[in-house]
């Protein structure tokens, strides 16, 4: 089967699933041809993680190849920085919040997306707004946190928001001072 084109392997898989009346957790993913950009836009609108594209005439390969692509949806937002974890010359992580009405909710942390120079610049900015206690509406326990007034906003790219309301696969893209809401 490995040498067969992807479309033929898929046809046989569907036949086996139907023949054996397989149900959850086995699901057959229908084949769609056409405008990949439109399909990606629809996936984004439905809050899917992304789409997978495969060449229908390609044989099976166990490694990543050009015939197989995973295109992930990337979401972006501005989140108030509510705290940080120190490292010797900057920050190791930022704690993020989200304004909902008068509430400031915890959205998780980000610990990637900067270099040493940027880390030091973030630390210098946040050191100007250090607070003796956290400003979140519902207190969270983070022993290594240095809490700050939520005066700075982090531009964040992330994949999704978990069922617990936390950012998933977040990456820092920039820091700004202001009163914008996430």
């Amino acid at each position: 089967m490995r040498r067969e084109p992807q479309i033929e392997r898929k046809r046989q898989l569907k036949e086996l699933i139907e023949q054996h009346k397989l149900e959850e957790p086995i699901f057959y993913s229908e084949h769609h041809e056409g405008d990949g950009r439109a399909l990606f836009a629809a996936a984004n609108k439905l809050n899917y993680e992304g789409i997978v594209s495969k060449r229908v005439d390609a044989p099976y390969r166990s490694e990543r190849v050009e015939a197989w692509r995973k295109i992930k949806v990337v979401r972006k937002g501005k989140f108030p920085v509510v705290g940080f974890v120190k490292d010797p010359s900057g920050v190791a992580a930022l704690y993020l919040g989200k304004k909902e009405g008068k509430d400031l909710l915890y959205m998780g942390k980000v610990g990637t997306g900067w270099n040493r120079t940027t880390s030091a610049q973030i630390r210098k900015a946040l050191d100007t707004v250090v607070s003796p206690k956290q400003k979140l509406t519902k207190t969270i326990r983070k022993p290594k946190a240095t809490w700050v007034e939520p005066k700075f906003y982090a531009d964040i790219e992330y994949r999704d928001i978990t069922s617990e309301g936390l950012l998933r696969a977040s990456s820092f893209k920039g820091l700004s001072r202001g009163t914008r809401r996430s």
Side-chain angles (χ1 to χ4, degrees):
M1 289 295 301
R2 292 173 68 95
R3 291 190 178 116
E4 294 293 323
Q6 193 260 349
I7 195 74
E8 176 58 20
R9 295 191 318 273
K10 195 160 180 163
R11 184 194 66 75
Q12 289 188 32
L13 176 63
K14 183 176 184 181
E15 194 175 283
L16 283 169
I17 289 171
E18 290 171 352
Q19 194 176 34
H20 294 282
K21 296 180 174 72
L22 299 178
E23 296 177 358
E24 283 187 43
I26 307 292
F27 293 98
Y28 178 79
S29 180
E30 291 295 334
H31 178 79
H32 298 279
E33 285 189 40
D35 186 351
R37 291 178 199 263
L39 184 60
F40 182 75
N44 189 8
K45 195 172 188 178
L46 293 168
N47 288 326
Y48 288 180
E49 187 174 330
I51 62 173
V52 174
S53 301
K54 297 180 180 182
R55 284 195 27 209
V56 295
D57 61 344
Y60 177 81
R61 297 285 183 264
S62 57
E63 70 273 357
R64 291 279 175 110
V65 292
E66 286 295 311
W68 187 102
R69 295 214 176 156
K70 182 177 182 180
I71 303 127
K72 295 180 179 182
V73 170
V74 176
R75 294 165 181 23
K76 297 177 182 181
K78 277 192 175 293
F79 299 90
V81 177
V82 297
F84 65 94
V85 176
K86 295 177 184 178
D87 88 354
S89 61
V91 296
L94 300 176
Y95 292 112
L96 305 172
K98 178 182 179 183
K99 287 290 257 177
E100 274 192 14
K102 292 184 179 186
D103 292 335
L104 181 58
L105 308 175
Y106 178 64
M107 290 295 292
K109 70 179 181 177
V110 61
T112 188
W114 53 70
N115 58 28
R116 284 182 188 219
T117 302
T118 304
S119 174
Q121 291 168 346
I122 295 168
R123 172 75 177 272
K124 186 176 178 182
L126 295 179
D127 278 345
T128 67
V129 293
V130 169
S131 172
K133 59 183 182 175
Q134 60 182 282
K135 300 298 179 177
L136 295 164
T137 303
K138 183 179 175 187
T139 303
I140 61 167
R141 184 163 149 59
K142 298 290 180 187
K144 294 182 181 179
T146 297
W147 300 110
V148 296
E149 297 286 339
K151 303 285 184 189
F152 287 92
Y153 286 75
D155 293 316
I156 302 294
E157 285 186 356
Y158 60 99
R159 297 285 182 234
D160 203 0
I161 295 178
T162 68
S163 57
E164 293 84 27
L166 304 176
L167 298 173
R168 186 172 72 81
S170 58
S171 179
F172 176 85
K173 298 299 172 190
L175 187 72
S176 59
R177 190 172 182 116
T179 56
R180 291 193 56 183
R181 291 181 174 204
S182 58

